[in-house]
Amino acid sequence: MQRNYWTTALLVALLSFGLAASASAQMALDLDPNPGDQGVRETPVKPGDEIKFQLVTTEPVKGLVGIEVELKFDDKQVKFLGFMPAGVLQGATSLPPSQKPGGVGIAVALMGKQADSDQPVTLGEFKFGVAPSMAGATMIELKGGSLGTSAGTKKLKLAGGIKLFTGDA
């Protein structure tokens, strides 16, 4: 009986460590235009501005053949203007965005190719417009994300998103 207790305790400890070790984000939004994730998650804006930010991985990718990502935002504060595959997805085929109130879905595929990197990578660039009536602060959040790889689809852990704020926030 004592042996089963220690075996169970060890199994619980290993699973807990594994879950804790994998709890970091694997996909993020970054406001810094340089390749990769610089961790810039907020910026001041003015009503009427256009902003660009990157979709990045925070870990290396192996056998990447495509991505799906869903953003959530207040469409009274910001407007989705587009997504351009970049970095390891440069030249990939992007399906028409799936727009709905308060969000947008993006799907991109490398046709007949796959990408590998031993470091975090840029996947693409989003473009949003700031509403002329925006006041205060708003978030553009990663609501869902997955990588399509040669081994199958991998749902990702996501970093929250980015914060945009006006001078009166």
Side-chain angles (χ1 to χ4, degrees):
M1 182 67 173
Q2 184 71 6
R3 181 178 172 159
N4 284 342
Y5 171 77
W6 287 111
T7 302
T8 302
L10 180 60
L11 184 58
V12 169
L14 288 173
L15 287 174
S16 297
F17 175 74
L19 291 174
S22 65
S24 64
Q26 298 167 323
M27 187 182 279
L29 302 177
D30 186 26
L31 287 156
D32 189 301
N34 293 307
D37 185 17
Q38 281 70 49
V40 180
R41 306 284 189 256
E42 57 182 66
T43 191
V45 294
K46 294 179 190 150
D49 279 355
E50 283 188 3
I51 60 155
K52 294 180 181 180
F53 54 92
Q54 294 183 19
L55 175 66
V56 297
T57 65
T58 58
E59 296 180 355
V61 295
K62 298 289 180 215
L64 181 67
V65 295
I67 63 164
E68 286 187 334
V69 65
E70 189 174 344
L71 297 183
K72 177 181 160 187
F73 51 88
D74 180 348
D75 48 14
K76 292 181 179 94
Q77 301 274 41
V78 293
K79 180 180 179 179
F80 171 75
L81 299 176
F83 178 81
M84 179 66 66
V88 296
L89 292 177
Q90 186 77 38
T93 302
S94 186
L95 296 175
S98 169
Q99 290 189 264
K100 56 189 173 197
V104 65
I106 301 294
V108 177
L110 287 167
M111 303 304 247
K113 301 187 255 179
Q114 64 182 29
D116 294 300
S117 176
D118 58 356
Q119 58 190 354
V121 295
T122 298
L123 299 170
E125 183 177 78
F126 283 98
K127 185 175 175 183
F128 271 74
V130 177
S133 60
M134 182 180 162
T138 194
M139 293 287 297
I140 300 173
E141 300 174 87
L142 276 168
K143 185 176 177 187
S146 60
L147 296 179
T149 70
S150 54
T153 301
K154 178 181 178 185
K155 289 235 181 243
L156 300 177
K157 294 171 185 63
L158 309 170
I162 59 170
K163 179 181 178 181
L164 310 176
F165 57 92
T166 59
D168 54 352

